[in-house]
Amino acid sequence: MPKVQCWSLALLLFGIGMLAHLFFSGKKTSMSVSGKHYRTAKQIIKDNDIITIDLSPQIGNVWGDYARTIIIENGVVVNDIENISNSEWRNGLLMEEKLHSELLKIATPNTTFEQIHEYMNNLINDNGYVNLDFMGNLGHSIVGDKKDRIYIEKGNNATLGSVKYFTFEPHIALKDFQYGIKKENIYYFNDNKLTEL
């Protein structure tokens, strides 16, 4: 897929209603900012580049959340993680896969947001990575009004089962990082089993 189509595809898929978005490339992928004050910088995507897109499509009180780090090598999006030649990018994306797989294994409706925060931050740190999120959280509930959402953060003793949907979106980098990696999915419980939306 040509590099121009990444952003065009995102706009086509999520361009209905309001689209809040964050778009970073290169070393700026390690930036963590509030979407309230973010403005897309004018930037040219290189033939070998790392891009993070974070989308929050919304129509009325219905909204979603989706973030991905995309790798471009030789002017082409690399869809298979194993085929990425830059080891920092490849290993970061593999770490994201590990974190999401681990969430599916350990989360129950009775697990608290704080327990996920502690467990996953330990896993991130034990693997040589850091949590880049400017608030230190790893995700949040999906609710009708954004001001009512709760976070995967220290001190939040609400259970995952107390909300209908929640996101898991670790924004990570190696401890001596240059680049940030992010993957966000929405999850819910189906017969007490955590399921990706």
Side-chain angles (χ1 to χ4, degrees):
M1 174 188 303
K3 57 189 169 193
V4 173
Q5 288 185 354
C6 289
W7 189 239
S8 299
L9 179 60
L11 288 175
L12 286 172
L13 290 173
F14 299 104
I16 301 168
M18 186 186 101
L19 174 67
H21 67 278
L22 300 173
F23 180 86
F24 299 103
S25 68
K27 293 180 182 176
K28 289 185 177 182
T29 56
S30 64
M31 291 176 60
S32 177
V33 298
S34 168
K36 292 177 185 176
H37 307 292
Y38 172 79
R39 297 292 174 259
T40 304
K42 292 182 180 179
Q43 48 199 354
I44 296 173
I45 305 305
K46 300 174 184 163
D47 284 343
N48 294 293
D49 215 341
I50 181 170
I51 300 166
T52 296
I53 299 174
D54 192 338
L55 304 170
S56 296
Q58 181 175 347
I59 299 176
N61 285 338
V62 178
W63 59 284
D65 240 339
Y66 178 90
R68 288 295 185 271
T69 295
I70 299 165
I71 305 301
I72 297 174
E73 291 184 330
N74 300 315
V76 177
V77 173
V78 183
N79 292 313
D80 185 345
I81 294 173
E82 296 295 339
N83 291 335
I84 297 169
S85 60
N86 181 304
S87 62
E88 182 178 350
W89 299 347
R90 181 181 61 249
N91 293 336
L93 287 171
L94 288 171
M95 184 63 197
E96 285 283 356
E97 294 301 316
K98 180 177 181 175
L99 293 168
H100 283 265
S101 292
E102 192 67 15
L103 178 71
L104 287 166
K105 289 179 196 170
I106 67 161
T108 71
N110 293 322
T111 306
T112 67
F113 281 79
E114 180 178 51
Q115 288 171 324
I116 292 298
H117 181 266
E118 181 179 356
Y119 182 90
M120 289 300 180
N121 272 307
N122 286 337
L123 186 58
I124 289 166
N125 292 328
D126 290 348
N127 282 272
Y129 288 84
V130 294
N131 177 355
L132 296 176
D133 187 83
F134 74 99
M135 291 176 46
N137 71 59
L138 295 169
H140 53 81
S141 61
I142 298 285
V143 291
D145 190 329
K146 288 184 184 181
K147 73 178 189 310
D148 294 330
R149 67 180 162 188
I150 59 175
Y151 294 89
I152 300 175
E153 64 185 349
K154 185 175 182 170
N156 184 356
N157 291 312
T159 62
L160 298 176
S162 70
V163 299
K164 190 168 182 179
Y165 300 100
F166 67 92
T167 70
F168 182 61
E169 54 176 310
H171 184 198
I172 61 170
L174 288 170
K175 288 181 179 171
D176 55 349
F177 64 89
Q178 290 188 42
Y179 304 100
I181 307 286
K182 190 172 191 181
K183 178 179 179 180
E184 179 178 32
N185 285 340
I186 297 175
Y187 293 95
Y188 68 100
F189 287 99
N190 184 9
D191 293 327
N192 294 326
K193 180 175 173 49
L194 189 64
T195 306
E196 181 185 325
L197 186 64

